[in-house]
């Protein structure tokens, strides 16, 4: 009887812990995919697998990294099912974007999210884990199941790419601000006598 109560108590605690992680998992999945439905599916699959495999977790202190490793595997599995010969790191997952004037903190966040969306998937994963979610390099390496040197090089390339993308967006914005009223971007008006 005591072992049954322990099982249900542990099971309830595990469920509560997983439910608390849902929002963070969704933020990461959305940052990686930029597709709300796909991010939700990945989180659901992650939580389902985690509930099925809670007995495999040997160290409860490592439950965070373990959970995000499951998310990483679900993300990889999704793209393996979706492609035949394409490499996830080589897919161009950038979205079309028309720059708008940055007038609020929300607009800055929006620009950064769009810039992150233009990064290759591997770089997006590392930036999301380390810079946005605060995981250490070691934790990110464990979550993504790659060497720490790969984390460091992807993060370096991703940060440089973000710097360049945000600089380009700022430049495009300033050019749009100085264009004559009614002129389409990239068009030149000539004077007619």
């Amino acid at each position: 009887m005591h072992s049954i109560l322990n099982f249900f108590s542990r099971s309830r605690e595990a469920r509560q812990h997983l439910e608390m992680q849902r929002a963070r998992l969704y933020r990461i999945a959305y940052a990686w995919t930029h597709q709300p439905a796909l991010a939700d599916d990945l989180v659901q699959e992650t939580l389902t697998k985690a509930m099925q495999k809670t007995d495999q977790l040997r160290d409860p202190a490592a439950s965070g990294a373990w959970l995000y490793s499951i998310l990483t595997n679900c993300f990889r599995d999704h793209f393996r099912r979706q492609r035949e010969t394409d490499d996830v790191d080589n897919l161009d997952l950038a979205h079309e974007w028309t720059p708008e004037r940055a007038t609020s903190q929300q607009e800055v966040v929006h620009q950064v999210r769009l810039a992150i969306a233009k990064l290759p998937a591997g770089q997006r994963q590392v930036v999301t884990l380390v810079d946005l979610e605060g995981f250490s390099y070691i934790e990110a390496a464990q979550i993504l199941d790659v060497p720490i040197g790969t984390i460091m090089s992807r993060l370096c390339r991703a940060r440089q790419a973000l710097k360049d993308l945000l600089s380009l967006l700022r430049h495009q914005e300033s050019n749009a601000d100085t264009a004559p009223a009614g002129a389409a971007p990239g068009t030149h008006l000539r004077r007619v006598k």
Side-chain angles (χ1 to χ4, degrees):
M1 178 73 169
H2 182 67
S3 62
I4 293 173
L5 290 175
N6 279 343
F7 171 77
F8 284 115
S9 173
R10 271 189 25 230
S11 179
R12 189 175 335 115
E13 289 173 14
R15 238 182 267 121
Q16 288 172 345
H17 174 72
L18 292 176
E19 191 58 38
M20 290 184 336
Q21 295 296 321
R22 180 185 288 275
R24 192 173 189 194
L25 284 166
Y26 180 82
R27 284 194 311 267
I28 292 171
Y30 182 78
W32 290 352
T33 64
H34 288 276
Q35 297 176 25
L38 177 56
D40 196 45
D41 288 347
L42 290 172
V43 169
Q44 192 65 33
E45 185 178 352
T46 299
L47 293 174
T48 301
K49 287 183 178 183
M51 284 302 298
Q52 292 169 348
K53 299 178 180 188
T54 53
D55 58 329
Q56 293 179 3
L57 180 61
R58 291 181 179 88
D59 181 11
S63 65
W66 174 74
L67 189 60
Y68 297 104
S69 295
I70 295 173
L71 176 64
T72 300
N73 290 333
C74 291
F75 177 74
R76 286 180 186 152
D77 291 345
H78 169 76
F79 280 101
R80 283 186 190 122
R81 288 188 301 263
Q82 297 298 317
R83 65 176 170 85
E84 296 197 9
T85 58
D86 293 337
D87 184 4
V88 173
D89 286 342
N90 295 331
L91 289 177
D92 181 17
L93 300 175
H95 292 273
E96 296 281 330
W97 183 69
T98 305
E100 297 174 351
R101 186 174 196 163
T103 56
S104 68
Q105 180 66 22
Q106 191 61 28
E107 181 59 29
V108 171
V109 169
H110 180 69
Q111 285 181 352
V112 170
R113 284 184 177 158
L114 289 174
I116 289 173
K118 293 183 180 194
L119 295 174
Q123 291 178 15
R124 254 195 339 266
Q125 288 178 311
V126 173
V127 164
T128 303
L129 290 173
V130 175
D131 288 343
L132 300 182
E133 293 298 329
F135 285 101
S136 70
Y137 289 6
I138 293 172
E139 291 170 324
Q142 290 171 342
I143 289 168
L144 297 175
D145 193 27
V146 296
I148 194 167
T150 301
I151 295 295
M152 294 167 67
S153 64
R154 283 183 186 174
L155 191 58
C156 181
R157 287 192 309 266
R159 287 174 176 167
Q160 184 59 48
L162 283 174
K163 180 180 172 185
D164 295 344
L165 285 166
L166 292 171
S167 176
L168 176 66
L169 291 174
R170 220 175 305 121
H171 177 72
Q172 288 174 344
E173 237 176 49
S174 67
N175 285 346
D177 289 343
T178 59
T187 62
H188 300 284
L189 299 177
R190 64 184 179 121
R191 187 179 305 239
V192 179
K193 291 185 181 182

